[in-house]
Amino acid sequence: MIKINPDEIKIISQYIYQITGIALDEKKAYLIETRLSGLIDEHGCKSYLELYHKAKQDAGRTLERKIINAMTTNETLFFRDHSPFELFRHKLLPELIDKRTSKSFPNSPITLRIWSSACSTGQEVYSLAIVLRELLPNQTKYNVKLLGTDISDKAIAQASYGQYNKFEIERGLDRDKLERYFHPNGSHWKIKDDIRAMALFKKLNLMEPFNSLGKFDIIFCRNVAIYFTLEDRKKLFNRIADVLEPDGYLVIGSTESLTGICPRFEPQRHLRSIFYQLK
Amino acid sequence: MGTLKILIVEDDPVTLSLLAKRLRKEGFEVETTHDGDDALRRIAGEPFDVVLTDLLMPGETDGMGVLENIKRLYPHTEVILLTGYISVESAVEAMKKGATDFLTKPINFDELIIRLNKIDDMRALIKAATDLRNAMEVTEKSAADTIQELEIMLSEFRSAFSEVRDALTEPHTHSQDRIDKALNILQPLVN
């Protein structure tokens, strides 16, 4: 594997920051090497600098997309951590439906807008869709908009296709859910059409404006801000506050905190989970 | 040196005993059966890492049936198909259905053993990844509990502090009353 030198680390990490918002320091040289060495070989580059120049010169941005795909972490699983989905099922969704029902006209469908802001290969979105399906059997009464976004077009493509290998399936899905919501497709499993139809996937860099997505009732922003600088985290959660309905809910990763990040949010406890609401 | 537990399904007794002997010599734990239906009964009783099955067998369940049932019920079990003649179509079909590999007869034992060792390596890697993930989950859970506890505590402190500020700056109140009120607010936070 070609070694990266200190000058290259500066240039490459600055470039990665520009295109992804991911903050890397000199200590993360190994991460750049392990993630990008494949592209170095694939493009016949002799150094990381050469790869950088190739990426900058590529007007079609294909190489830039490949670098984004390589540098972003897609660690995810169905019902990751369990507790956010229990929170969603037992607290957020019932409470939200209650609030929206009292506001809407009788017999008109209730709109629920949910955003999984760093959805990776789609597991979080489909886990939410499954909970929605189980909790709201009468889908015609509700107009559910479930949006999944991610910076990696490769991850979004897989999410959109909704197909998973046996390792991905094994993580977090019990037999019953697997058979109810997926169908076998060769050695893979594919999400069933009715669950797939509940979700919409889009490529989005959280460092860029997202006001145009509209407002959301529930936002999941889990385990993505950890890769950003403190300043960028502050900006991100402030912009998330802008697109959250005044009585909406925000769920962040179980080891993340908003203390000192965004004073507009207030933590609330429900059993063993925490969620945030605007003050 | 293999650590895999293997079930061989083969209706030809000579091939069956030859295979079993050779794989046992390599250190694999080997069991045998001569038909597909019995194979499915055996798998239901105990887990196998690998099932080596002949494609064409008499009886209700042929090799493809064994494959289908295993992949449906025991996705962790790897299936290698053995066949006298394999067409591209049936090979593709087998791989689509989740077969790990297929080998044509007469069996090249060296090749078979290389493939089994690859499966062994892969399973060791999967186990390492699973162990690592479990360790990470334990650490993450414990970190999450601490962080969430602190998050709530800090939020309570903040709101108490702003109450204290209001109490201390309340107009038209005697200074001792203001202090008493502030101390009252702080009391539950001190313990």
Side-chain angles (χ1 to χ4, degrees):
Chain A
M1 195 158 66
I2 299 174
K3 281 272 163 203
I4 188 164
N5 70 46
D7 291 337
E8 287 179 316
I9 294 173
K10 273 204 196 101
I11 294 165
I12 301 283
S13 50
Q14 181 58 33
Y15 174 63
I16 289 167
Y17 176 74
Q18 262 175 31
I19 59 174
T20 65
I22 296 171
L24 298 166
D25 56 29
E26 315 79 70
K27 285 177 226 139
K28 298 281 172 65
Y30 72 95
L31 194 68
I32 299 177
E33 284 173 356
T34 50
R35 298 288 184 97
L36 296 186
S37 65
L39 286 177
I40 290 260
D41 295 345
E42 188 187 320
H43 290 265
C45 300
K46 288 184 183 62
S47 69
Y48 286 86
L49 206 57
E50 195 185 334
L51 183 75
Y52 164 75
H53 287 304
K54 272 202 173 152
K56 293 290 274 185
Q57 281 157 12
D58 176 6
R61 292 191 160 189
T62 310
L63 188 50
E64 178 182 301
R65 283 205 302 276
K66 283 184 184 172
I67 293 173
I68 293 174
N69 290 339
M71 287 310 303
T72 45
T73 301
N74 288 328
E75 170 64 15
T76 184
L77 58 150
F78 290 100
F79 296 96
R80 177 171 179 177
D81 292 346
H82 280 283
S83 60
F85 301 97
E86 294 301 300
L87 175 75
F88 180 63
R89 183 192 299 261
H90 297 295
K91 169 83 179 168
L92 308 188
L93 210 45
E95 206 174 277
L96 183 66
I97 287 168
D98 206 34
K99 286 192 280 198
R100 295 290 177 269
T101 310
S102 63
K103 273 192 202 164
S104 69
F105 295 107
N107 300 325
S108 69
I110 296 162
T111 300
L112 306 172
R113 299 198 75 223
I114 299 155
W115 179 27
S116 162
S117 63
C119 71
S120 188
T121 40
Q123 284 87 332
E124 180 172 272
V125 170
Y126 292 129
S127 302
L128 294 171
I130 288 170
V131 173
L132 282 161
R133 174 53 46 96
E134 288 177 353
L135 207 69
L136 314 174
N138 183 4
Q139 297 276 324
T140 54
K141 267 182 71 186
Y142 304 93
N143 178 15
V144 178
K145 308 265 187 212
L146 180 54
L147 174 69
T149 62
D150 198 90
I151 189 173
S152 161
D153 53 2
K154 199 175 162 192
I156 283 293
Q158 193 195 330
S160 189
Y161 196 53
Q163 181 165 288
Y164 301 93
N165 65 33
K166 65 175 179 179
F167 303 111
E168 293 165 321
I169 283 297
E170 270 164 21
R171 301 182 64 191
L173 277 182
D174 55 44
R175 192 91 225 155
D176 180 56
K177 281 200 172 60
L178 179 61
E179 283 182 355
R180 195 173 304 189
Y181 302 112
F182 293 80
H183 59 82
N185 191 11
S187 57
H188 286 64
W189 293 81
K190 204 165 189 303
I191 194 86
K192 285 190 178 165
D193 288 347
D194 59 326
I195 300 289
R196 172 62 192 85
M198 293 170 71
L200 181 71
F201 293 97
K202 247 186 188 161
K203 181 183 170 176
L204 173 80
N205 180 349
L206 287 173
M207 291 289 121
E208 286 162 13
F210 46 68
N211 289 9
S212 61
L213 298 178
K215 290 240 175 191
F216 294 94
D217 298 300
I218 304 178
I219 298 175
F220 285 79
C221 185
R222 299 167 68 214
N223 306 311
V224 61
I226 48 175
Y227 299 106
F228 302 154
T229 64
L230 184 62
E231 275 317 300
D232 285 333
R233 261 183 267 173
K234 286 180 181 173
K235 285 184 202 152
L236 172 63
F237 284 107
N238 207 30
R239 291 190 297 128
I240 284 179
D242 292 341
V243 297
L244 186 66
E245 290 286 352
D247 61 350
Y249 309 91
L250 167 69
V251 179
I252 63 173
S254 67
T255 56
E256 294 179 88
S257 154
L258 288 189
T259 300
I261 305 265
C262 188
R264 293 166 70 186
F265 285 109
E266 193 163 32
Q268 313 274 356
R269 193 202 291 272
H270 174 74
L271 302 175
R272 294 186 64 76
S273 307
I274 286 196
F275 60 95
Y276 294 82
Q277 287 199 283
L278 292 167
K279 279 182 186 167
Chain B
M1 186 68 199
T3 56
L4 299 172
K5 189 172 164 189
I6 302 168
L7 177 67
I8 307 171
V9 195
E10 168 62 74
D11 62 319
D12 171 36
V14 180
T15 313
L16 183 64
S17 88
L18 211 64
L19 255 173
K21 216 167 144 186
R22 185 64 204 269
L23 294 183
R24 282 192 187 114
K25 217 177 104 195
E26 289 295 324
F28 295 110
E29 189 183 337
V30 177
E31 296 201 20
T32 60
T33 175
H34 48 73
D35 77 84
D37 301 314
D38 185 53
L40 295 180
R41 279 192 293 275
R42 298 279 280 276
I43 296 160
E46 54 182 324
F48 286 89
D49 298 309
V50 180
V51 174
L52 265 173
T53 178
D54 191 13
L55 190 61
L56 298 171
M57 285 180 296
E60 287 276 301
T61 316
D62 64 358
M64 211 57 100
V66 171
L67 171 66
E68 279 170 13
N69 275 292
I70 288 176
K71 285 292 137 186
R72 189 167 53 83
L73 299 170
Y74 317 98
H76 292 270
T77 302
E78 311 290 339
V79 180
I80 298 178
L81 290 166
L82 307 172
T83 170
Y85 162 80
I86 192 147
S87 65
V88 176
E89 289 78 22
S90 54
V92 169
E93 193 197 344
M95 295 315 253
K96 267 191 182 165
K97 285 182 174 157
T100 310
D101 239 321
F102 57 85
L103 291 172
T104 45
K105 295 184 195 171
I107 295 159
N108 178 332
F109 284 108
D110 291 336
E111 190 185 354
L112 173 62
I113 285 154
I114 287 170
R115 295 196 187 189
L116 287 172
N117 285 332
K118 276 209 173 127
I119 290 176
D120 206 6
D121 287 348
M122 191 180 71
R123 291 175 88 86
L125 270 177
I126 292 167
K127 187 180 179 307
T130 310
D131 288 353
L132 205 63
R133 195 183 300 131
N134 291 343
M136 189 195 81
E137 271 163 20
V138 172
T139 317
E140 195 174 279
K141 179 82 188 66
S142 144
D145 286 349
T146 311
I147 289 162
Q148 296 186 354
E149 202 60 50
L150 289 172
E151 188 85 333
I152 291 289
M153 207 159 85
L154 261 169
S155 156
E156 284 168 1
F157 277 18
R158 286 206 165 151
S159 82
F161 284 145
S162 85
E163 274 181 59
V164 166
R165 187 193 53 210
D166 294 348
L168 290 176
T169 54
E170 209 174 285
H172 321 299
T173 316
H174 193 270
S175 60
Q176 188 57 48
D177 290 344
R178 282 190 260 170
I179 291 170
D180 288 345
K181 194 172 175 194
L183 285 173
N184 262 333
I185 297 165
L186 290 174
Q187 191 56 41
L189 301 180
V190 180
N191 298 321

